[in-house]
Amino acid sequence: MLTPAALREIHALQNQATQILNQRSVSRADGKRADLLIAKIANIRQTGYSSDEIRQKLANEIGREIGKAPIDFDNAAPEQRMHEQIFRGFLCGKPDHELEQELRATTLLAGTQTPIFSAGTAGGVLVPRAFSQKVAEGRAAIDPLFDENVVTLIQEPNFSLPPLTIPGWDLSTITAVKVAEAAQHNPDVVPAVNNDMLNRFTYRSTLAGSFEFEQDSKAYGDTNAALARAFGVAFGRGVSADLVTGDGSTGPQGVLTGAANSGVTTAAAGVFALSDFTNIYFSVNKIYREAPKAAWLMADATYKAVLNAKDASGFPFFPLVNDELRILGKPVYVCPSMPSAAGSKGIIFGDLGAYFVHSSSLYIRRRLQYPGLVEFGKIAYTGLQMVDAIVDDPTNGTLPPIVYATLHI
């Protein structure tokens, strides 16, 4: 599907190429120029975007790296643009009654986004999509357990976290049975199935901002991006501990809580042997250790000790490849809330795709009379987000997808 801008650029390039080729005599240079125009048309057809739109996409990627907000396309959805406009007015302290008038005039938003404004303790507004993406990037930068490429992250598009049942089958023993022609099909051995339930736990964080929100963007590059990044880091750090050691009843079940004991304790204090990792690796069933998201989790101090682990000749067991550490071919992620003290459960390995993290979008409340801030012309922005998580183990520890190992005392 070509965008309108791409169609316009293709038409202009075709006209240029036609004018060149319709000349009575086409020089070699003109022929090359026509070839370049035709190649450019082919590239636009392949990507579906005009040259300017491709440059905008590249600018967006660069902007994400340096903390700036993504650049909007001219053909962005009308409801998305309106939501961004209303949200910016909300952050700038625009009166609630004006925001409510804009909302009522925007029927596409009124029925889907449910942002009701800040009057009273229950007021607030659901953040736009671009802001939510920045929050997600900030969380994942703090803790890989918020990264959809590491775990199974289920992100809701609004401020809700409906109960979610996760059906799971024991993949370590599931087997198809051969049936002879015209033979009766006897009952199969049905693998174990579980129905883990995800509920919700609410987290919040408050930031201070000024009434001069638009003017502040000159210092930050983009105040929306700075605010979203700050909220993302706050929630990443605040929820991180529960995503590792949460008990599953007063908070999300942590991956360490839901992991089974591998039975492995590392051989020596402060150093690692190759057998430590092979024993952990082979304590997990092959179907799980070969899963797309099979990986290791450990604290930064443990990560350093792994890098320092060497054989008798002084060569590292697991050298960095392209600045990435892999143990027995599986990636290693540094998780800030993982323990690293002697005698702690300091290493996790297995299919992290079996760790389900369920998260709502961010909801922001604005309070203009917040004690300690209003005296200095500041506004309080309180972000709320609901999260739950669980390790899906259909075997209840018999053949677990995720295991932990204990560091030597």
Side-chain angles (χ1 to χ4, degrees):
M1 179 68 70
L2 297 171
T3 66
L7 290 171
R8 289 193 297 270
E9 185 172 5
I10 287 175
H11 181 70
L13 293 172
Q14 286 175 335
N15 287 340
Q16 293 178 39
T18 301
Q19 290 175 5
I20 293 172
L21 296 175
N22 284 343
Q23 297 179 73
R24 288 187 177 180
S25 79
V26 179
S27 67
R28 192 170 185 179
D30 287 338
K32 287 185 177 180
R33 187 180 164 205
D35 290 340
L36 288 173
L37 291 171
I38 293 170
K40 193 172 183 180
I41 291 171
N43 184 60
I44 294 171
R45 289 188 182 279
Q46 183 177 5
T47 62
Y49 297 103
S50 69
S51 300
D52 288 339
E53 288 172 327
I54 292 173
R55 281 193 292 271
Q56 282 186 326
K57 280 180 169 289
L58 292 173
N60 288 346
E61 294 300 324
I62 295 171
R64 290 190 182 96
E65 291 298 322
I66 63 176
K68 292 186 178 180
I71 301 169
D72 291 329
F73 282 98
D74 291 336
N75 59 350
E79 61 270 24
Q80 184 178 349
R81 292 199 302 269
M82 181 58 71
H83 194 180
E84 295 275 358
Q85 180 179 336
I86 293 173
F87 182 65
R88 184 168 286 276
F90 173 81
L91 295 179
C92 293
K94 195 170 186 178
D96 293 344
H97 69 275
E98 294 183 19
L99 293 170
E100 289 167 354
Q101 287 175 355
E102 292 182 36
L103 180 64
R104 285 196 296 272
T106 312
T107 56
L108 288 172
L109 281 174
T112 58
Q113 299 297 336
T114 64
I116 305 301
F117 296 98
S118 60
T121 58
V125 61
L126 184 72
V127 303
R129 185 184 308 164
F131 193 96
S132 183
Q133 289 173 347
K134 277 293 174 187
V135 173
E137 290 173 12
R139 293 188 316 182
I142 290 294
D143 196 321
L145 295 176
F146 269 123
D147 190 336
E148 63 182 3
N149 298 311
V150 176
V151 301
T152 300
L153 177 64
I154 305 165
Q155 180 69 54
E156 297 290 345
N158 48 36
F159 186 65
S160 68
L161 211 65
L164 181 66
T165 300
I166 302 171
W169 293 271
D170 177 12
L171 300 183
S172 61
T173 59
I174 186 170
T175 307
V177 179
K178 180 174 63 177
V179 180
E181 186 176 353
Q184 183 178 357
H185 184 183
N186 295 321
D188 293 331
V189 177
V190 180
V193 60
N194 66 337
N195 289 284
D196 290 328
M197 175 74 75
L198 285 169
N199 294 303
R200 64 183 181 186
F201 301 94
T202 303
Y203 297 80
R204 67 180 179 183
S205 175
T206 298
L207 300 174
S210 71
F211 285 94
E212 295 80 21
F213 197 79
E214 293 289 347
Q215 289 83 348
D216 290 344
S217 65
K218 296 176 182 178
Y220 285 103
D222 185 273
T223 41
N224 271 2
L227 188 66
R229 181 77 173 182
F231 271 127
V233 171
F235 282 100
R237 189 171 288 128
V239 185
S240 174
D242 281 344
L243 292 185
V244 173
T245 58
D247 58 15
S249 57
T250 61
Q253 185 190 60
V255 64
L256 195 55
T257 305
N261 189 350
S262 66
V264 177
T265 299
T266 57
V271 295
F272 292 111
L274 180 60
S275 59
D276 292 333
F277 297 102
T278 55
N279 290 337
I280 300 169
Y281 183 83
F282 286 101
S283 70
V284 176
N285 186 272
K286 188 177 187 300
I287 193 64
Y288 296 123
R289 65 177 187 256
E290 295 300 329
K293 293 184 179 180
W296 304 80
L297 282 179
M298 58 187 65
D300 199 54
T302 311
Y303 186 94
K304 178 182 177 181
V306 174
L307 287 177
N308 289 334
K310 296 178 174 60
D311 62 19
S313 301
F315 293 103
F317 288 133
F318 309 109
L320 289 174
V321 178
N322 297 325
D323 295 326
E324 183 183 44
L325 176 62
R326 300 180 77 88
I327 297 177
L328 300 177
K330 306 302 176 184
V332 181
Y333 299 110
V334 174
C335 190
S337 297
M338 280 287 292
S340 59
S344 65
K345 305 171 184 178
I347 299 175
I348 281 179
F349 174 69
D351 177 14
L352 297 183
Y355 188 53
F356 288 79
V357 179
H358 192 198
S359 173
S360 75
S361 185
L362 186 69
Y363 194 72
I364 292 183
R365 293 175 180 168
R366 180 190 68 189
R367 284 171 285 183
L368 307 180
Q369 305 296 327
Y370 196 88
L373 295 180
V374 63
E375 298 90 341
F376 302 97
K378 301 291 184 181
I379 303 174
Y381 299 111
T382 298
L384 295 98
Q385 195 163 52
M386 293 181 286
V387 181
D388 197 10
I390 197 168
V391 173
D392 180 42
D393 180 5
T395 69
N396 292 318
T398 305
L399 287 169
I402 302 174
V403 301
Y404 69 82
T406 305
L407 300 179
H408 193 281
I409 298 177

